[in-house]
């Protein structure tokens, strides 16, 4: 498999740094904490860690409001400690990916402070400033993804500035060549320190309509949805010019060897595919979020897999995501009894999988009392289900109360105790053990990494597909229902099953029983 790039062979493990491991007792995870747990990640079998933002920030949006792109926030550590983490990870054979947040900065970033200081400042055009409408109101109807208008009035200079998210997160003007050069310098700063790639935040939002036209109303809007869903984002997302920026980022990374560019892009499949670039010169992997909101039904998932794979350009490498810091945890979405099936699905589909910390032990969404809510998305639009705190609760390392081995202090969010690494690591029947077995299976079977995917189908609650390479053919069968079912085969042997005692057992010619919630991988 050596001809594949590392990110095509590998498995990515996402760390939300505030919640992974606290080393100094302040209740917030940090870089030394991550470094201390890298051995756990290598033992799990992952190949790379992606670390959510760790830059200096006022933390209005917990690091996605960047005040300095070329340093580390003191709550996470120092630049020297980051370098130590990278070096340690590389010694262990792990790659390190950083979150890159180029769409907006903090309003406390020196660039914005200069930009808002006067209309004549050279950095004024680094952000999106507009005169008010004739009635004195916002320039157009664009809405913030955090609620309310996307325009904030600046009394001192008599103009509005645009913010797709919080007012503390003004959007950069990516039509300005100086902005592009400055952000290219940011990429180089971290690449020079050994970073192996970037996940680019809200990549599809970087360019806005040059004419600042009103977004049209959304005829499918339903009451109770986030406010910005009232409008179609026709002029505030996925503009044609964004692809030039993606190509430029990719070219910069290419100068440093085998680096990876991953884009956060929430778009329908057809539009998502354009981010690979017409000649494979776009993002290496536009994140595929199809599984995050899919109905957990065999027929629906089969159709989703077929549609995604058939849409891939010839030069494109697929990828799959089951959980992240912005969506409810998989065990809460589909139920703990199906978490094992989900693990087999994620780690046997064709393409690069991304694991979200804690999903490997079946962490569920945490209970966040009203007085413990921290997420601005929930504080600004309460009651509509936008709060992301539940999926960001601290990693549950052990069963100690009240902090689960995460911190010796008061955790920034409540820690769950229903399960932990310690209770699962020596249990051969645990979900953690299943993840380790699956990752080992990937390493030992080329069909699961470089093989094709074929015969994707569903019968009742059972989803099946095959992974094939050279003479090896693997059947994957997943019972996504709550009743026993059957799967047909032409004989073979079970390499891995979520049902205890079935590994190594023969798969009969004809009909085979599949227990409720069972998933298996068989050589056929």
């Amino acid at each position: 498999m050596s001809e594949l790039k590392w990110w095509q062979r590998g498995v990515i493990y996402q760390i939300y740094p505030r919640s992974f491991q606290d080393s100094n007792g302040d209740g917030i995870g940090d870089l030394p904490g991550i470094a201390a747990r890298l051995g756990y990640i290598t033992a799990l079998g992952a190949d790379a860690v992606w670390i959510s933002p760790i830059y200096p920030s006022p933390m209005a949006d917990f690091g996605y409001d960047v005040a300095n792109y070329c340093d580390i926030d003191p709550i996470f550590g120092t630049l020297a400690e980051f370098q130590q983490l990278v070096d340690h990870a590389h010694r262990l054979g792990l790659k390190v990916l950083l979150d890159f947040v180029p769409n907006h900065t903090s309003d406390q970033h020196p660039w914005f402070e200069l930009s808002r200081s006067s209309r004549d400042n050279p950095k004024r055009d680094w952000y999106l400033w507009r005169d008010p409408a004739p009635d004195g109101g916002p320039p157009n109807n664009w809405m913030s993804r955090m609620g309310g208008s996307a325009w904030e009035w600046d009394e001192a200079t008599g103009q509005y500035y645009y913010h797709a998210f919080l007012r503390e997160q003004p959007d950069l003007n990516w039509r300005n060549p100086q902005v592009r050069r400055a952000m290219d310098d940011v990429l180089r700063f971290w690449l020079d320190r050994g970073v192996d790639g970037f996940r680019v935040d809200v990549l599809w939002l970087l360019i806005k309509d040059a004419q600042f036209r009103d977004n049209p109303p959304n005829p499918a809007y339903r009451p109770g949805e986030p406010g910005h869903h009232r409008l179609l984002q026709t002029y505030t997302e996925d503009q044609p010019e964004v692809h030039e920026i993606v190509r430029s980022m990719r070219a910069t990374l290419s100068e440093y060897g085998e680096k990876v560019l991953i884009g956060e892009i929430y778009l329908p499949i057809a539009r998502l595919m354009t981010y690979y670039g017409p000649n494979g010169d776009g993002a290496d992997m536009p994140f595929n979020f199809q599984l995050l909101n899919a109905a957990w039904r065999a027929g629906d998932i089969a159709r989703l897999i077929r549609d995604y794979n058939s849409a891939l350009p010839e030069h494109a490498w697929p990828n799959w995501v089951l959980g992240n810091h912005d969506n409810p945890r998989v065990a809460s979405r589909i139920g703990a009894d199906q978490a094992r099936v989900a693990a087999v699905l994620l780690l046997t589909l064709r393409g690069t999988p991304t694991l979200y910390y804690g999903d490997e032990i079946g962490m569920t969404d945490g209970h966040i009392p009203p007085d413990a809510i921290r997420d601005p998305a929930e504080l600004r639009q309460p009651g509509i289900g936008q709060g992301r705190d539940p999926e960001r609760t601290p990693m549950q390392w052990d069963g100690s109360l009240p902090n689960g081995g995460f911190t010796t202090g008061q955790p920034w969010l409540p820690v769950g105790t229903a399960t932990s690494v310690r209770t699962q690591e020596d249990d051969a029947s645990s979900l953690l053990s299943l993840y380790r077995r699956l990752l080992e299976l990937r390493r030992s079977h080329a069909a699961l990494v470089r093989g094709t995917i074929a015969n994707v189908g569903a019968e009742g609650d059972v989803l099946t597909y095959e992974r094939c390479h050279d003479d090896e053919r693997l059947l994957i069968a997943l019972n996504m229902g709550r009743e026993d079912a059957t799967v047909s085969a032409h004989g073979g042997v079970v390499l891995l099953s979520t049902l205890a005692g079935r590994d190594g057992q023969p798969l009969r010619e004809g009909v085979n029983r599949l227990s409720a919630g069972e998933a298996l991988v068989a050589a056929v």
Side-chain angles (χ1 to χ4, degrees):
M1 293 185 282
S2 59
E3 70 272 22
L4 295 180
K5 296 179 179 179
W6 71 260
W7 49 268
Q8 295 172 316
R9 300 189 304 270
V11 174
I12 300 169
Y13 186 91
Q14 183 192 356
I15 292 173
Y16 193 69
R18 297 180 69 89
S19 297
F20 198 61
Q21 179 67 69
D22 173 25
S23 71
N24 60 9
D26 67 356
I28 297 173
D30 47 43
L31 295 178
I34 294 173
R37 297 292 189 178
L38 289 180
Y40 165 79
I41 296 170
T42 56
L44 178 66
D47 302 278
V49 292
W50 150 34
I51 304 173
S52 293
I54 49 177
Y55 312 105
S57 168
M59 299 295 165
D61 192 19
F62 297 115
Y64 285 93
D65 50 320
V66 178
N68 181 353
Y69 285 101
C70 297
D71 206 348
I72 302 295
D73 194 286
I75 68 168
F76 297 125
T78 66
L79 198 54
E81 287 172 324
F82 175 77
Q83 191 66 63
Q84 292 166 8
L85 186 154
V86 172
D87 294 342
H88 181 34
H90 287 169
R91 286 192 297 271
L92 292 173
L94 287 171
K95 306 292 186 180
V96 178
L97 311 181
L98 279 186
D99 228 308
F100 180 44
V101 189
N103 179 70
H104 47 265
T105 71
S106 165
D107 61 354
Q108 296 182 35
H109 195 293
W111 297 346
F112 187 70
E113 290 177 339
L114 289 170
S115 184
R116 78 186 311 175
S117 65
S118 78
R119 292 197 185 196
D120 298 327
N121 190 276
K123 284 196 166 48
R124 184 67 169 186
D125 190 50
W126 282 42
Y127 294 83
L128 297 170
W129 292 93
R130 300 290 289 176
D131 289 330
D135 64 359
N140 61 26
N141 70 348
W142 295 356
M143 299 186 71
S144 164
R145 292 168 182 265
M146 294 290 195
S149 172
W151 295 98
E152 183 70 14
W153 175 251
D154 182 65
E155 187 68 38
T157 59
Q159 283 188 316
Y160 286 88
Y161 68 84
Y162 176 75
H163 55 94
F165 295 91
L166 297 173
R167 65 181 181 185
E168 294 90 351
Q169 295 170 289
D171 278 41
L172 285 160
N173 176 16
W174 272 86
R175 295 182 183 276
N176 186 322
Q178 292 178 319
V179 169
R180 298 191 185 191
R181 286 194 293 270
M183 296 306 266
D184 194 55
D185 288 343
V186 170
L187 293 175
R188 294 179 186 279
F189 178 89
W190 295 106
L191 289 165
D192 287 340
R193 282 155 181 78
V195 167
D196 299 289
F198 300 90
R199 173 267 191 188
V200 185
D201 186 59
V202 297
L203 182 60
W204 83 113
L205 302 184
L206 291 186
I207 290 284
K208 289 77 181 176
D209 179 52
Q211 299 177 51
F212 293 88
R213 287 170 284 187
D214 278 354
N215 276 327
N218 178 9
Y221 173 76
R222 294 170 296 182
E225 291 182 338
H228 72 280
H229 286 187
R230 295 177 183 275
L231 304 174
L232 298 175
Q233 304 302 305
T234 305
Y235 299 116
T236 47
E237 66 176 36
D238 194 29
Q239 301 300 294
E241 300 93 329
V242 74
H243 297 287
E244 177 188 346
I245 297 170
V246 179
R247 286 193 295 272
S248 177
M249 290 181 182
R250 172 76 176 275
T252 297
L253 268 63
S254 297
E255 296 173 15
Y256 287 78
E258 201 171 278
K259 308 296 182 180
V260 65
L261 184 70
I262 304 172
E264 182 196 29
I265 304 163
Y266 285 90
L267 287 174
I269 289 178
R271 291 162 67 188
L272 179 71
M273 294 301 157
T274 65
Y275 284 79
Y276 281 106
N279 302 305
D281 55 355
D284 292 301
M285 292 191 295
F287 258 149
N288 169 22
F289 296 131
Q290 305 299 313
L291 291 175
L292 288 178
N293 299 305
W296 196 249
R297 293 188 293 264
D300 291 332
I301 300 296
R303 184 165 50 254
L304 181 156
I305 295 169
R306 290 193 299 266
D307 289 349
Y308 176 75
N309 280 290
S310 64
L312 283 166
E314 185 177 351
H315 56 264
W317 184 257
N319 69 95
W320 297 90
V321 178
L322 260 180
N324 64 20
H325 61 293
D326 286 334
N327 290 275
R329 285 194 175 270
V330 62
S332 291
R333 295 200 312 269
I334 66 174
D337 59 330
Q338 283 287 318
R340 293 170 182 267
V341 177
V344 177
L345 176 68
L346 177 67
L347 295 175
T348 61
L349 286 170
R350 178 175 177 266
T352 301
T354 297
L355 307 180
Y356 186 49
Y357 83 97
D359 280 354
E360 75 275 13
I361 59 170
M363 281 178 60
T364 54
D365 291 344
H367 172 67
I368 312 297
D371 61 353
I373 294 172
R374 300 289 180 264
D375 185 7
E378 178 67 17
L379 293 171
R380 286 172 61 91
Q381 301 183 90
I384 64 171
Q386 292 298 290
R388 300 163 294 180
D389 290 334
E391 57 263 26
R392 298 177 177 184
T393 56
M395 183 68 172
Q396 297 161 198
W397 293 106
D398 60 45
S400 61
L401 297 174
N403 301 332
F406 164 69
T407 181
T408 59
Q410 178 66 32
W412 78 286
L413 283 175
V415 182
T417 57
T419 188
S420 71
V421 172
R422 181 169 297 175
T423 58
Q424 295 192 31
E425 58 186 350
D426 295 324
D427 179 359
S429 65
S430 69
L431 182 60
L432 177 59
S433 292
L434 174 64
Y435 268 91
R436 288 174 173 170
R437 290 162 55 209
L438 280 164
L439 288 165
E440 176 58 34
L441 196 69
R442 282 180 62 89
R443 287 192 293 272
S444 58
H445 290 270
L448 290 176
V449 177
R450 60 180 298 178
T452 59
I453 186 168
N455 299 322
V456 180
E459 184 172 343
D461 290 326
V462 177
L463 168 67
T464 56
Y465 49 91
E466 294 179 355
R467 299 297 310 280
C468 307
H469 177 66
D470 290 341
D471 294 332
E472 183 176 47
R473 185 160 64 97
L474 304 180
L475 170 68
I476 293 87
L478 307 100
N479 186 349
M480 306 175 74
R482 300 181 181 277
E483 305 290 338
D484 290 357
T486 59
V487 61
S488 297
H490 297 290
V493 60
V494 176
L495 301 177
L496 177 147
S497 171
T498 58
L499 187 67
R502 194 164 187 180
D503 290 13
Q505 296 297 309
L507 204 61
R508 295 193 305 270
E509 176 84 25
V511 175
N512 292 260
R513 179 174 170 272
L514 204 60
S515 297
E518 183 184 0
L520 61 78
V521 181
V524 297

